[in-house]
């Protein structure tokens, strides 16, 4: 049940009861004081947003949040950033457009205090996406909980949240809810959004790849497989990942250069993803791992049929030339 048409006084009491306006310190409005710092200065002074403040600077968004506004900043805490898989933030810092898009998804035009949030269903972000607001049990933004609300600044208001917001899924692991891989989208290695419907009616082999792994020579076999069967409606889809042994530390350009020069890779490669189940998991892998094994190392493989459904999972040691894998591909192509 949403807090619609609830008197302001009762709503204020309810919000205080769930701890949104009383964690750590009262807001400037509650204290009867006018704020004297902008959003970046406030976030810096609070002390639990060091990672966010640095990331906003890296993404050239700090100046925006020091400007006139007003803005509402849904601010992931340092603890929220610490939940990201190792290497994720470093990779984002090397890809400024992607980092900027992610952080802009945490900013909304206007000053939205918790009382107003509790009556909203959606808000439009500076990145253009929608945020879902749910006040049935505390106030949540997408699937992130507001742990401290109404920290006011001269140019807006900050709400602390316990997890980063994912613009790709709108707070949901969309892949887990899909019935077909080909209903999803993914970001190419060059940073462009690609509808996987381009592969509808084809058989695909989805592989989490890495450049510094003992299984990396499988790139050659994967390219051979892709080349031999492409005319029959088959494709290999490579998703780089740095989760296992940190064996894919490079940026998009270095991955592309390595794959092209070392193995002549022509099959589609996508931007680095998280394959392990959790908040940061890629929607593609949320779909692939629903009800089945998740990758436990680099070069695990999912054979996907023409209808976009997973046929079989193969562990890293199963090579592209494996007889059983080839037999399964042939059967799927018929």
């Amino acid at each position: 049940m949403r807090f619609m048409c609830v008197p302001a006084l009762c709503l204020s009491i309810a919000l205080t009861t769930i701890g949104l306006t009383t964690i750590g310190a009262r807001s400037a409005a509650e204290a009867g004081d006018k704020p004297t710092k902008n959003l970046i200065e406030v976030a810096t002074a609070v002390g639990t947003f060091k990672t966010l403040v640095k990331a906003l600077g890296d993404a050239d968004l700090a100046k925006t949040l020091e400007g006139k506004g007003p803005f509402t900043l849904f601010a992931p805490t340092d603890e929220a950033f610490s939940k990201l898989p190792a290497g994720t933030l470093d990779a984002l810092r090397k890809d400024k457009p992607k980092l900027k898009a992610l952080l802009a998804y945490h900013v909304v035009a206007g000053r939205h205090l918790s009382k107003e949030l509790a009556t909203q269903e959606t808000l439009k972000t500076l990145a253009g996406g929608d945020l879902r607001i749910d006040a049935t049990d505390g106030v949540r933004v997408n699937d992130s909980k507001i742990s401290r609300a109404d920290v006011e600044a001269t140019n807006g208001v900050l709400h602390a949240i316990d997890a980063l917001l994912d613009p790709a899924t709108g707070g949901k692991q969309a892949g887990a809810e899909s019935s077909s891989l080909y209903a999803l989208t993914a970001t190419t290695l060059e940073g462009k959004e690609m509808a996987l419907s381009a592969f509808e009616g084809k058989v695909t082999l989805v592989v989490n790849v890495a450049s510094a792994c003992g299984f990396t020579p499988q790139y050659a076999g994967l390219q051979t497989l892709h080349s031999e069967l492409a005319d029959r409606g088959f494709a290999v889809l490579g998703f780089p990942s740095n989760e296992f042994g940190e064996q894919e530390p490079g940026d998009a350009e270095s991955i592309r250069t390595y794959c092209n020069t070392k193995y002549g890779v022509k099959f589609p490669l996508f931007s680095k993803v998280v394959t392990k189940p959790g908040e940061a998991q890629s929607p593609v892998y949320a779909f692939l791992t629903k009800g089945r094994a998740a990758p436990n190392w680099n070069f695990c493989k999912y054979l996907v049929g023409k209808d976009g459904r997973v046929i079989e999972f193969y562990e890293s040691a199963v090579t592209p030339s494996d007889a059983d894998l080839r037999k399964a591909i042939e059967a799927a192509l018929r």
Side-chain angles (χ1 to χ4, degrees):
M1 181 180 297
R2 303 190 64 79
F3 289 109
M4 303 300 290
C5 302
V6 179
L9 177 60
C10 294
L11 184 55
S12 177
I13 293 172
L15 289 170
T16 302
T17 300
I18 61 175
L20 290 180
T21 60
T22 59
I23 297 176
R26 294 187 300 163
S27 69
E30 291 176 309
D33 301 325
K34 289 186 177 181
T36 60
K37 301 178 186 295
N38 63 47
L39 281 165
I40 293 297
E41 292 171 332
V42 165
T44 301
V46 170
T48 56
F49 303 106
K50 295 177 182 177
T51 308
L52 174 64
V53 170
K54 185 179 187 309
L56 288 167
D58 292 339
D60 294 334
L61 276 174
K63 289 183 179 179
T64 299
L65 295 178
E66 291 170 340
K68 184 176 179 180
F71 304 105
T72 297
L73 173 61
F74 295 101
T77 62
D78 291 334
E79 183 179 357
F81 275 97
S82 72
K83 297 176 183 177
L84 293 174
T88 301
L89 186 56
D90 288 339
L92 282 170
R93 286 195 173 112
K94 294 176 182 177
D95 189 345
K96 185 178 288 187
K98 198 168 188 177
L99 177 63
K100 186 171 184 177
L102 171 65
L103 296 178
Y105 187 68
H106 291 70
V107 184
V108 173
R111 185 189 300 265
H112 300 275
L113 296 171
S114 53
K115 289 189 293 185
E116 180 185 349
L117 288 178
T119 67
Q120 300 293 312
E121 292 188 355
T122 61
L123 289 172
K124 184 72 70 176
T125 75
L126 293 189
D130 290 326
L131 296 176
R132 293 178 295 106
I133 310 298
D134 184 356
T136 56
D137 180 19
V139 176
R140 290 183 174 273
V141 184
N142 290 350
D143 290 330
S144 299
K145 183 177 181 180
I146 294 180
S147 56
R148 178 177 177 180
D150 297 342
V151 182
E152 294 200 63
T154 55
N155 62 341
V157 61
L158 176 153
H159 304 289
I161 55 176
D162 65 356
L164 273 74
L165 306 173
D166 184 355
T169 65
K172 297 180 178 181
Q173 288 189 298
E177 299 171 357
S178 176
S179 60
S180 169
L181 175 68
Y182 306 141
L184 303 177
T185 61
T187 305
T188 68
L189 195 57
E190 289 68 36
K192 297 180 180 180
E193 289 299 307
M194 179 181 184
L196 297 184
S197 58
F199 301 99
E200 194 163 6
K202 295 185 178 183
V203 176
T204 56
L205 189 69
V206 183
V207 188
N208 61 312
V209 294
S211 300
C213 177
F215 294 110
T216 298
Q218 287 190 17
Y219 263 129
L222 291 170
Q223 178 56 43
T224 297
L225 197 61
H226 178 82
S227 299
E228 288 181 356
L229 300 176
D231 290 344
R232 295 175 59 193
F234 173 82
V236 173
L237 309 181
F239 287 82
S241 170
N242 196 43
E243 296 168 282
F244 305 105
E246 297 186 0
Q247 294 178 344
E248 188 55 275
D251 59 14
E253 184 178 356
S254 64
I255 293 171
R256 173 63 72 189
T257 299
Y258 176 81
C259 290
N260 286 1
T261 57
K262 181 74 173 177
Y263 295 106
V265 170
K266 302 298 182 185
F267 59 78
L269 289 173
F270 295 84
S271 63
K272 282 201 278 192
V273 297
V274 174
T275 70
K276 296 177 181 178
E279 293 178 355
Q281 187 182 36
S282 155
V284 167
Y285 276 86
F287 170 80
L288 294 173
T289 60
K290 185 179 180 182
R292 61 184 62 83
N296 56 4
W297 200 251
N298 307 305
F299 288 88
C300 287
K301 304 162 187 71
Y302 292 86
L303 180 60
V304 180
K306 296 178 182 179
D307 59 357
R309 297 178 184 273
V310 177
I311 297 172
E312 189 61 81
F313 167 77
Y314 299 90
E315 294 190 346
S316 307
V318 177
T319 67
S321 60
D322 179 86
D324 288 338
L325 172 60
R326 293 295 296 256
K327 183 178 179 180
I329 293 172
E330 288 290 342
L333 286 171
R334 293 193 191 105

